[in-house]
Amino acid sequence: MSGKFELFKSPKNNQFYFHLQASNGEIILQSEGYTTKSNCLNGIRAVKKNASLERAYVVQPKHFNLKSVDNGKIIASSEKYSTNSARDAGIASVKAHAITSDIVDLTKLKNKN
């Protein structure tokens, strides 16, 4: 079972976000807000492009950020981890899941109901 990107719109601020879920359902990476769905999809494409590149990870003591190696901007961030080894496992999980994960557009699913 592979992971998935979920794209959604926040009712609080009307911005679009994505998060990457591992195959066990745990969220391993989340984005900042985007004003358009198109820009959010570009963010997902940037994660897929950069996830396998070691130099794209900005490692902090308890979390990490994934940046674009093209422009240096942060694309998405991890949760806070209790240990550095858990953080490193999170990075490995992003590397394992990001490239092959499908995108689930929750905004389309919501509109169908």
Side-chain angles (χ1 to χ4, degrees):
M1 186 169 150
S2 66
K4 64 182 174 180
F5 284 96
E6 289 186 329
L7 184 151
F8 58 96
K9 188 173 186 179
S10 171
K12 292 181 181 178
N13 63 10
N14 281 332
Q15 291 198 327
F16 294 89
Y17 295 84
F18 67 83
H19 55 235
L20 175 60
Q21 283 185 335
S23 54
N24 65 2
E26 190 164 329
I27 294 173
I28 52 176
L29 202 61
Q30 52 196 4
S31 73
E32 294 184 350
Y34 293 90
T35 56
T36 67
K37 185 190 286 191
S38 177
N39 287 343
C40 192
L41 288 167
N42 286 338
I44 293 171
R45 284 190 277 278
V47 169
K48 287 178 169 276
K49 178 180 177 183
N50 291 278
S52 64
L53 306 173
E54 195 65 40
R55 68 186 186 277
Y57 291 88
V58 180
V59 179
Q60 303 295 324
K62 300 292 182 190
H63 75 282
F64 63 91
N65 296 313
L66 181 68
K67 69 176 183 175
S68 166
V69 296
D70 293 333
N71 63 21
K73 292 184 179 180
I74 300 296
I75 306 164
S77 301
S78 73
E79 65 178 343
K80 300 289 185 204
Y81 291 98
S82 58
T83 65
N84 290 345
S85 61
R87 177 210 57 215
D88 294 344
I91 292 171
S93 187
V94 170
K95 289 178 180 179
H97 290 94
I99 296 171
T100 59
S101 289
D102 290 331
I103 300 169
V104 177
D105 186 344
L106 298 178
T107 64
K108 286 183 179 180
L109 296 175
K110 185 175 183 180
N111 291 335
K112 288 184 179 181
N113 294 331

